[in-house]
Amino acid sequence: MAPEIGPKRFKTFEKQAPGLPFYDPSKDFTCLDGSLTIPFLSVNDDFCDCADGSDEPGTSACSNGIYHCTNAGFRPKNIPSSRVNDGLCDCCDGSDEYNEPINCPNTCKELYKELYQKQREEAELAKQGLAVKQDYSQQGQNKKEERKQKLEELKKQLEQKKATVESLKIKKEEVEASEKEAKEKHENEWKETKAKILAERDKTSAEAAFKALDVNGDGRLTVQEIVDTDLLDKKYNEEEAKEVLGGYEDTDFDSFFSVLWSNIKEKYLHKEPVQPTTEETADKSSQIEIPAMETESPPPTPPIDENFDDDEDLPDVPGDDDDDDEEEDDDAGDNREPPDGLKLETEKQAAASAEESKDDDLKMPEYDEETKAKISVADQARKEYNEAESGSQDTEKEISELERILNINLGQEEEFAPLQGQCFEYTDREYLYKLCPFDKASQQPKNGGSETSLGTWGEWTGDPNKYSRMKYSGGQSCWNGPNRSAEINLKCGSTNELVQVTEPSRCEYLMEFKTPAACQSIDGDLSFLHEHGGEL
């Protein structure tokens, strides 16, 4: 038998025009989807006739049906008809449980009182937050205006700086051209001088080599002398020696130097003798060979010049003095190097000294005063140019950063601007979380460890209120997972506070952040309660 038809069983729905009833006992009922028309007696008969469940609004016969809770004194609501007479009180007025023995008390008035008190508290909080938000907006707008003005000033400064840089560049290039010309002149002159020094040194080496190879000192170098000498890189037979002399039996120095020396000096074992300090010792020392370390066959004794008869002209070799003989005998027990070792050490020292002297000769001399002055002027011009260019680049960077900040959406009225540059923390049992609005979000173990990026500022994603949710993306990647990201739900609060962090999905974090900047007026909600809840 169908349940009793009464106010507790039916709801007068409106369609298209106010007051048009869907449920009229005086005529047949047509399903709301228009699929079927049935006698009105079949409405609420605990049998589902309509596909949309509209014929059973007061029973649980249709699983997809909707039951309307009037909830007088509180907010009305709709529930699935399957929850009608299920033994649980879903409507605060108890209308969904009309079968005995369930007796649902009417709690609508109490719920209204609780909700109204909560809404009043939230309204007061919103009122306080809105006052702060208004101040935030003013700060943000002032800051934005300051940044715009600064940006314009920097752009003007940049134009001036670029003009200065261009002027200094022209000046620098002019003085550098003069500097380059003076330096090249000096360096070219030195190249010529150096070439002459090297040529003279090469000729001196050739003369020394020729004298050493010309054993009989007759001014001609013969095939036999090439065969007999130990001063070349190997022993040559007559045929090879003749080839060394360019196919001739002998040669004088001029031919030796101009034609043969370039080839022979690579074979000559003493091609860089110690340089003499005077012309007199040069002639004599060119005929003396400092003994080398012992070899299987000692080199032949070079001819002695007739003028070379004074011990004063001999190189001063330690241990070679006659006056020291007795002293050496007295000290025979001392740990001393043998004479050959001493001679070798002396040879090394003399060669090192000569090499150092030669290197000094081949060092380019300082620039003259006029060239130094031009270099000094060019250095100053370069310094001024570099400083100006660096200043211009710094201004460009500052402009770029200002433009980036100005392009960030800080709220409809710049109310989120004061949050820029701040960071807020929240700690749970394991981690310390950090949120830096419009910058980054991160996570760090409480007991120490490196910081993990949860993402950087991306965009506003709230719906319908755009400024109720933030998106941070591109964080550190998870092991075999996506890059970390975070979404921040913004709630109204009297202060700025990160109040909760969860991880609803792997590597996807959800944060709740309270701030006055998110406060909205809730007067409409209170009006709704007054309208539907009656008096307290």
Side-chain angles (χ1 to χ4, degrees):
M1 183 176 182
E4 179 187 354
I5 298 175
K8 203 173 183 182
R9 301 293 175 264
F10 296 105
K11 167 67 179 175
T12 300
F13 294 93
E14 296 180 352
K15 181 180 181 183
Q16 296 179 350
L20 179 64
F22 285 145
Y23 298 92
D24 185 353
S26 65
K27 59 183 181 180
D28 292 340
F29 175 76
T30 299
C31 301
L32 297 185
D33 61 3
S35 60
L36 183 67
T37 299
I38 59 175
F40 193 80
L41 290 175
S42 297
V43 175
N44 271 354
D45 64 350
D46 253 341
F47 183 81
C48 190
D49 297 291
C50 297
D52 61 0
S54 58
D55 64 311
E56 298 294 321
T59 75
S60 58
C62 297
S63 61
N64 60 338
I66 299 297
Y67 181 77
H68 182 82
C69 302
T70 304
N71 291 344
F74 192 56
R75 289 177 169 175
K77 70 175 181 178
N78 294 327
I79 62 172
S81 59
S82 60
R83 290 165 63 178
V84 174
N85 289 325
D86 63 351
L88 298 175
C89 301
D90 296 291
C91 303
C92 67
D93 62 6
S95 60
D96 61 311
E97 299 296 328
Y98 51 82
N99 283 343
E100 299 294 343
I102 298 299
N103 183 20
C104 293
N106 189 325
T107 60
C108 291
K109 188 169 288 189
E110 286 76 12
L111 289 175
Y112 168 77
K113 289 180 181 179
E114 291 176 8
L115 181 60
Y116 185 77
Q117 183 61 32
K118 181 180 179 182
Q119 291 285 23
R120 286 188 64 181
E121 292 173 358
E122 290 180 355
E124 183 60 30
L125 178 64
K127 183 178 178 181
Q128 297 173 9
L130 283 169
V132 178
K133 179 180 180 179
Q134 187 175 5
D135 182 55
Y136 277 8
S137 295
Q138 192 61 53
Q139 290 181 43
Q141 291 168 13
N142 292 342
K143 191 67 176 178
K144 187 171 187 176
E145 190 59 34
E146 288 175 11
R147 285 169 174 160
K148 284 182 176 179
Q149 291 177 3
K150 186 175 182 180
L151 181 61
E152 291 304 314
E153 291 173 4
L154 287 172
K155 287 182 176 179
K156 290 178 182 178
Q157 291 177 17
L158 182 60
E159 288 180 7
Q160 295 172 355
K161 288 183 177 181
K162 284 187 173 181
T164 301
V165 169
E166 190 60 30
S167 174
L168 290 173
K169 181 181 180 182
I170 294 171
K171 178 183 175 182
K172 178 178 76 76
E173 289 174 349
E174 288 176 353
V175 296
E176 280 181 337
S178 177
E179 173 198 42
K180 181 181 179 182
E181 182 180 358
K183 289 173 73 173
E184 285 181 348
K185 179 183 176 184
H186 178 88
E187 290 164 4
N188 289 336
E189 289 176 352
W190 165 242
K191 284 179 181 178
E192 293 177 4
T193 302
K194 182 179 177 181
K196 290 179 181 178
I197 293 173
L198 290 174
E200 291 174 0
R201 182 175 295 177
D202 193 45
K203 187 172 183 180
T204 300
S205 297
E207 289 174 345
F210 188 84
K211 288 181 181 180
L213 293 170
D214 182 17
V215 176
N216 60 12
D218 64 352
R220 299 194 69 82
L221 183 59
T222 65
V223 168
Q224 190 59 47
E225 285 173 322
I226 294 295
V227 171
D228 293 339
T229 189
D230 284 329
L231 299 179
L232 297 179
D233 59 350
K234 68 174 187 177
K235 296 294 289 181
Y236 290 86
N237 57 36
E238 288 188 8
E239 184 177 346
E240 291 172 334
K242 188 174 183 180
E243 186 177 344
V244 169
L245 292 180
Y248 296 98
E249 293 292 337
D250 60 7
T251 183
D252 59 11
F253 174 73
D254 289 340
S255 298
F256 173 83
F257 177 64
S258 61
V259 179
L260 305 177
W261 173 239
S262 60
N263 181 44
I264 291 178
K265 65 182 175 183
E266 299 299 325
K267 300 177 174 57
Y268 187 59
L269 298 178
H270 302 280
K271 55 182 177 296
E272 294 184 358
V274 177
Q275 294 299 306
T277 55
T278 65
E279 291 183 4
E280 180 181 357
T281 55
D283 290 337
K284 297 176 181 178
S285 63
S286 64
Q287 303 177 43
I288 299 175
E289 238 184 314
I290 298 175
M293 295 183 66
E294 290 188 10
T295 58
E296 293 183 3
S297 56
T301 304
I304 299 177
D305 195 340
E306 293 179 358
N307 297 324
F308 195 89
D309 58 358
D310 195 335
D311 286 345
E312 291 179 359
D313 293 328
L314 284 171
D316 188 12
V317 180
D320 225 17
D321 251 356
D322 291 333
D323 296 339
D324 294 333
D325 288 346
E326 292 182 9
E327 189 176 343
E328 285 184 15
D329 292 337
D330 293 340
D331 298 330
D334 294 346
N335 294 326
R336 298 195 178 192
E337 292 218 14
D340 284 349
L342 291 174
K343 290 177 182 179
L344 180 60
E345 187 65 28
T346 301
E347 180 182 3
K348 288 180 180 179
Q349 291 174 358
S353 176
E355 191 65 32
E356 184 178 348
S357 175
K358 286 193 293 183
D359 288 345
D360 288 341
D361 290 344
L362 295 178
K363 286 181 181 178
M364 186 176 72
E366 291 186 356
Y367 294 111
D368 57 61
E369 293 305 317
E370 183 180 355
T371 303
K372 285 181 180 179
K374 290 182 177 181
I375 293 173
S376 178
V377 170
D379 285 342
Q380 182 62 28
R382 279 188 286 268
K383 180 181 177 183
E384 291 174 357
Y385 170 77
N386 290 337
E387 288 176 352
E389 187 178 40
S390 177
S392 176
Q393 290 172 350
D394 289 343
T395 302
E396 285 182 331
K397 290 177 183 177
E398 196 171 355
I399 288 173
S400 177
E401 179 62 14
L402 263 179
E403 289 177 336
R404 184 191 70 82
I405 293 173
L406 284 169
N407 285 330
I408 295 175
N409 187 341
L410 299 176
Q412 193 170 5
E413 297 178 351
E414 300 296 310
E415 63 269 24
F416 292 95
L419 301 182
Q420 250 188 330
Q422 296 192 61
C423 291
F424 305 92
E425 295 180 350
Y426 172 80
T427 304
D428 63 11
R429 290 184 299 177
E430 295 184 64
Y431 296 101
L432 169 66
Y433 294 91
K434 186 182 292 186
L435 172 66
C436 304
F438 310 104
D439 186 7
K440 63 182 180 179
S442 64
Q443 173 195 63
Q444 187 174 13
K446 278 176 60 175
N447 299 326
S450 60
E451 189 175 75
T452 300
S453 170
L454 303 185
T456 55
W457 162 251
E459 58 183 340
W460 295 101
T461 58
D463 185 29
N465 176 14
K466 179 179 181 178
Y467 300 106
S468 64
R469 195 176 183 92
M470 289 176 163
K471 177 71 175 180
Y472 286 68
S473 57
Q476 190 171 328
S477 62
C478 287
W479 175 255
N480 287 335
N483 288 344
R484 290 175 172 83
S485 62
E487 290 193 338
I488 292 82
N489 283 330
L490 303 177
K491 303 292 184 182
C492 176
S494 57
T495 59
N496 298 311
E497 184 182 8
L498 184 60
V499 295
Q500 188 179 29
V501 180
T502 58
E503 189 179 358
S505 299
R506 184 167 179 256
C507 303
E508 294 178 357
Y509 299 82
L510 183 63
M511 299 182 177
E512 184 174 324
F513 182 69
K514 288 187 175 181
T515 174
C519 290
Q520 304 288 333
S521 174
I522 60 172
D523 292 341
D525 290 335
L526 290 174
S527 298
F528 179 86
L529 286 176
H530 282 302
E531 181 182 345
H532 292 83
E535 296 182 358
L536 286 173

